[in-house]
Amino acid sequence: MAIRINKQELASTIHNLQELTDEQKSALLELLHEKKQYGLVWEEKEEDAQERLREELPVFVEDESKRIINSDDAPNHVIIEGDNLHALTALTYSHEGKFDAIYIDPPYNTGAKNWVYNNDYVDGLDSFKHSKWLSMMSHRLNIAKRLLSSSGILVLTIDDYEIENITLLCNEIFGEYNHLGTVVIKNNPQGRSSVTGFQISHEYALFYGTSNSVLGRLPRTDEQIKRYKEKDELGPFEWRNFRAQYSTESPKMVYPIIVDNNGEYFRIPDIEWNSLKKEYFINEKPGENEHVVWPIDETGRMRTWKWSIETVLEVYKTEMGVRKDRSGDFTVYYKGRMKDIDMLPYTIWDNPLYSASTFGANILAEIIGKKKFDYPKSLFAVIDSLKVANANKNSIILDFFAGSGTTLHATMQLNAEDGGHRQCILVTNNENNICEEVTYERNKRVINGYTKPNGDFVEGLHDNNLRYYKTEFVSRENSSANRKALMSMTTDLLCIKENLYDEVPFEIDGKKMKPQFVRCFESDDKTMIIIYDPRAVDVIARALPEKDVKQRLIYVYSDGQYAYNDEFKGKDVELCALPDAIYQALNRVMPRQKEVKL
């Protein structure tokens, strides 16, 4: 049956909605979303940062005064100053699908005015503080998903204020089936008081990946290694009860074992499988000094044995024995061996090294002085998070809530420990000069070395390069002037994209071409040529066969106004009209025209 709508009445109804209170609007929002069967509902809040992206394109411009270059072979780490939504948008052009690990520590939304929304602090009295926070996080996490590699893992730390909301949000964005786990980290051993009376001593780390993601391992602690007290010709081990603790699914793994009453031996008796009842029958009685044991746990529930009969018969001489259990009865045990020095992580992390005050605030104070930044993460908690996120030796790591820069410090420390070549990109705004005076200053000193307050000098991690960029903007209006401005301002973004920073003169017949026409960047294995002026195309095309450059990868960027194909036909050149590529990449993230919803 067709439904007729009186447009005048509808317009009047919409006008009257403007008189609703915030609470009434929130209730109406829930009604409008009641079709959603399960998940998270919040009122979408437009950010000033989003609005700017509809009119302007973000690019990165290097502050060369902050450049630290130690070696051509060292990893090129990057600090980007600016709103992280702007920076993430630009990174979709240069790094879509490239980050192996993303570690973020967003504001916890505690109501303590620890984050800003549209130039105003969000405090505990703001009735839309959860909606604003979820809107802010959803915009950034949706882009972060695009930046993750096909096997990448995102790590997000949070506390109790938003743990339920952020879990639901991440389940929607990354998929509930890609929630690899939530870790409880004991980051505050002393505890802090709460209104409930509990002493809060923990926070959470959420791990999200893809179907291809594989968790990394952590080194065993000294306490875990000490468990393997016994040793035989095959190495250290610990005795473990042969009963499987949880399994009840395989009836053929439930069989009788005869044990000597003096604990000297055990054996598999003469048994017969009954396929109808799906159980073993014993065809012999135990001897006078023997008894039968089954895999029954302390509650009286039948479990299974850890191994099949066939496996027991193969390994019992070297891998099994008889010992007393906690009740004092002799039963069967097996040797649990430490196969690897590393192990899959537990979901509770209580290493004293995770203390945020001792190994976060105190370490930061030793590097740049006290009271420069509140609540930095433990360096070692971040290191272990990156290990679990499987940040392998050549991975690319992103932190777009960089804060004091612990993630970069952790990345460089990991490289120093295992000879890796991990690259880290940090993003943070410069509110209260945090980016320049904390994030950058900390990592500059970590690279160059620093003197502690007690006078001890800490040697720097010199095998690292660091570059500092600021986010700038170009109008989205597709005019000739804007295209040229975009061309001139995108060189740094291209260098980050290709990990190419060493500029060399581009010469033809001994003459250097002017930088406003062409610039050239080289490394050991590739060359990037950026053409700004189409008039230079003919000259460069003729010169390439004779020019002594490594042409394994040559890029030609211009404004799309010139037909390149004939000039570069047959040459090892990849062609790209840069402004068009930038417009297309960024428009996928933030369309220029604001979507209007009725």
Side-chain angles (χ1 to χ4, degrees):
M1 177 176 127
I3 298 176
R4 294 185 178 183
I5 297 177
N6 186 312
K7 293 184 178 180
Q8 288 184 338
E9 290 182 1
L10 179 61
S12 176
T13 301
I14 293 174
H15 176 76
N16 292 335
L17 292 178
Q18 298 175 4
E19 307 300 323
L20 295 177
T21 65
D22 286 346
E23 288 73 16
Q24 290 171 324
K25 290 178 181 177
S26 181
L28 178 60
L29 177 71
E30 293 182 15
L31 290 174
L32 292 174
H33 285 82
E34 65 181 1
K35 291 188 297 182
K36 188 171 185 177
Q37 297 300 312
Y38 178 79
L40 198 59
V41 175
W42 72 90
E43 182 166 349
E44 185 72 19
K45 296 291 185 179
E46 184 78 4
E47 294 181 61
D48 292 344
Q50 286 176 279
E51 194 61 39
R52 185 169 190 178
L53 287 174
R54 301 188 194 282
E55 303 298 328
E56 297 177 289
L57 297 170
V59 294
F60 303 141
V61 177
E62 185 179 5
D63 181 348
E64 296 184 7
S65 68
K66 293 182 172 63
R67 183 185 294 178
I68 301 173
I69 306 298
N70 285 313
S71 167
D72 292 340
D73 298 327
N76 292 294
H77 305 297
V78 171
I79 294 177
I80 300 170
E81 175 192 318
D83 187 285
N84 56 12
L85 184 62
H86 298 153
L88 287 170
T89 303
L91 287 171
T92 58
Y93 171 72
S94 61
H95 280 75
E96 186 163 9
K98 289 189 176 181
F99 286 106
D100 303 291
I102 298 177
Y103 177 96
I104 55 172
D105 179 39
Y108 285 6
N109 202 22
T110 62
K113 292 187 175 182
N114 63 342
W115 69 289
V116 174
Y117 195 90
N118 288 354
N119 301 317
D120 290 322
Y121 280 102
V122 178
D123 60 31
L125 300 178
D126 191 324
S127 59
F128 284 91
K129 72 172 186 175
H130 293 293
S131 285
K132 289 178 179 178
W133 189 84
L134 284 168
S135 293
M136 181 271 294
M137 291 301 300
S138 67
H139 298 148
R140 288 151 180 81
L141 288 174
N142 273 295
I143 302 176
K145 180 183 178 182
R146 298 176 55 176
L147 297 176
L148 271 180
S149 71
S150 60
S151 60
I153 293 177
L154 176 135
V155 187
L156 184 152
T157 57
I158 201 70
D159 71 359
D160 289 290
Y161 284 95
E162 294 287 359
I163 179 62
E164 297 92 351
N165 289 333
I166 198 62
T167 302
L168 286 174
L169 179 63
C170 287
N171 284 348
E172 286 192 2
I173 293 174
F174 297 95
E176 184 177 358
Y177 44 84
N178 287 323
H179 185 185
L180 304 176
T182 296
V183 172
V184 179
I185 303 177
K186 189 174 182 179
N187 67 326
N188 186 1
Q190 296 79 23
R192 60 176 174 82
S193 59
S194 67
V195 294
T196 65
F198 283 93
Q199 293 285 333
I200 307 298
S201 62
H202 72 280
E203 64 179 6
Y204 305 94
L206 282 66
F207 288 76
Y208 281 84
T210 72
S211 58
N212 299 321
S213 301
V214 177
L215 288 177
R217 294 172 173 262
L218 292 177
R220 297 178 191 269
T221 65
D222 291 340
E223 289 300 316
Q224 290 167 341
I225 293 175
K226 287 178 182 177
R227 287 171 44 189
Y228 299 88
K229 300 176 183 178
E230 309 284 345
K231 191 173 183 179
D232 61 13
E233 63 276 7
L234 298 180
F237 66 90
E238 67 170 343
W239 286 110
R240 297 174 185 170
N241 195 304
F242 188 53
R243 181 187 65 243
Q245 188 171 0
Y246 301 109
S247 176
T248 60
E249 296 178 356
S250 177
K252 280 206 169 185
M253 297 283 280
V254 179
Y255 49 86
I257 298 178
I258 291 180
V259 176
D260 172 58
N261 290 341
N262 297 318
E264 295 181 0
Y265 65 87
F266 74 92
R267 63 185 178 89
I268 304 294
D270 180 15
I271 55 178
E272 181 179 347
W273 175 252
N274 186 309
S275 58
L276 184 63
K277 293 187 176 182
K278 295 188 181 304
E279 63 183 20
Y280 285 102
F281 287 167
I282 305 178
N283 292 328
E284 66 168 293
K285 292 183 179 180
E288 184 177 345
N289 202 36
E290 296 177 331
H291 66 278
V292 177
V293 295
W294 295 86
I296 300 174
D297 64 19
E298 292 87 347
T299 66
R301 184 175 181 180
M302 183 69 77
R303 299 293 185 179
T304 69
W305 294 122
K306 184 172 179 61
W307 298 327
S308 67
I309 294 175
E310 293 76 15
T311 301
V312 170
L313 294 176
E314 287 180 7
V315 305
Y316 75 95
K317 290 183 179 179
T318 60
E319 301 301 317
M320 301 178 71
V322 177
R323 298 176 68 82
K324 286 185 178 180
D325 61 17
R326 281 180 283 187
S327 63
D329 298 324
F330 282 113
T331 190
V332 183
Y333 277 70
Y334 74 99
K335 296 176 181 179
R337 297 191 181 275
M338 185 172 60
K339 296 180 181 179
D340 300 299
I341 193 66
D342 295 335
M343 62 183 298
L344 285 171
Y346 291 108
T347 54
I348 296 179
W349 293 9
D350 60 354
N351 192 321
L353 292 174
Y354 301 150
S355 168
S357 58
T358 305
F359 298 102
N362 289 352
I363 286 179
L364 184 63
E366 288 180 345
I367 300 172
I368 62 172
K370 293 183 178 180
K371 299 182 179 180
K372 297 292 182 68
F373 184 85
D374 294 330
Y375 312 120
K377 292 295 180 190
S378 160
L379 174 65
F380 302 102
V382 178
I383 286 175
D384 283 355
S385 294
L386 293 179
K387 288 179 179 178
V388 175
N390 211 8
N392 60 71
K393 291 186 178 182
N394 295 303
S395 59
I396 307 176
I397 300 164
L398 172 66
D399 181 351
F400 54 89
F401 284 101
S404 69
T406 308
T407 304
L408 175 52
H409 188 171
T411 301
M412 294 189 289
Q413 190 66 45
L414 273 173
N415 284 342
E417 291 175 5
D418 63 14
H421 200 270
R422 301 169 184 85
Q423 181 196 23
C424 184
I425 296 179
L426 300 183
V427 180
T428 185
N429 61 32
N430 200 32
E431 182 186 355
N432 298 321
N433 297 321
I434 179 179
C435 192
E436 293 181 293
E437 297 180 3
V438 179
T439 317
Y440 170 76
E441 191 63 30
R442 171 193 189 154
N443 287 287
K444 181 185 76 172
R445 296 186 184 190
V446 169
I447 294 173
N448 292 338
Y450 59 93
T451 302
K452 292 183 178 182
N454 64 6
D456 293 342
F457 181 76
V458 177
E459 189 66 34
L461 303 178
H462 300 298
D463 293 332
N464 293 277
N465 299 334
L466 180 61
R467 287 176 166 84
Y468 188 102
Y469 295 85
K470 295 183 179 181
T471 308
E472 302 289 350
F473 296 87
V474 178
S475 172
R476 280 185 181 243
E477 289 295 335
N478 202 350
S479 66
S480 177
N482 287 338
R483 293 175 73 87
K484 289 181 179 178
L486 184 61
M487 279 296 302
S488 64
M489 294 182 69
T490 312
T491 300
D492 288 332
L493 182 59
L494 295 176
C495 288
I496 295 174
K497 182 177 188 289
E498 303 300 339
N499 198 27
L500 267 169
Y501 299 92
D502 298 327
E503 185 170 6
V504 297
F506 192 90
E507 297 182 356
I508 296 179
D509 298 329
K511 295 181 180 179
K512 295 179 182 179
M513 292 199 71
K514 294 182 179 180
Q516 60 264 39
F517 291 150
V518 61
R519 292 176 69 184
C520 182
F521 296 83
E522 287 187 356
S523 69
D524 288 339
D525 61 348
K526 59 185 175 181
T527 299
M528 176 172 69
I529 299 172
I530 307 172
I531 300 176
Y532 298 110
D533 194 313
R535 292 172 295 180
V537 172
D538 290 333
V539 180
I540 294 171
R542 290 194 303 270
L544 278 180
E546 293 79 29
K547 184 170 173 55
D548 183 22
V549 296
K550 299 185 189 305
Q551 294 185 30
R552 277 171 260 175
L553 186 62
I554 295 184
Y555 285 82
V556 178
Y557 295 96
S558 192
D559 64 359
Q561 303 299 314
Y562 200 94
Y564 298 141
N565 293 341
D566 293 338
E567 285 76 7
F568 292 103
K569 189 174 182 180
K571 300 182 177 67
D572 185 13
V573 175
E574 181 171 328
L575 310 175
C576 178
L578 178 60
D580 289 342
I582 293 285
Y583 281 120
Q584 292 169 9
L586 302 193
N587 266 298
R588 291 199 303 269
V589 177
M590 181 61 65
R592 183 159 183 259
Q593 295 299 323
K594 183 175 180 180
E595 184 180 359
V596 178
K597 295 182 180 179
L598 294 178

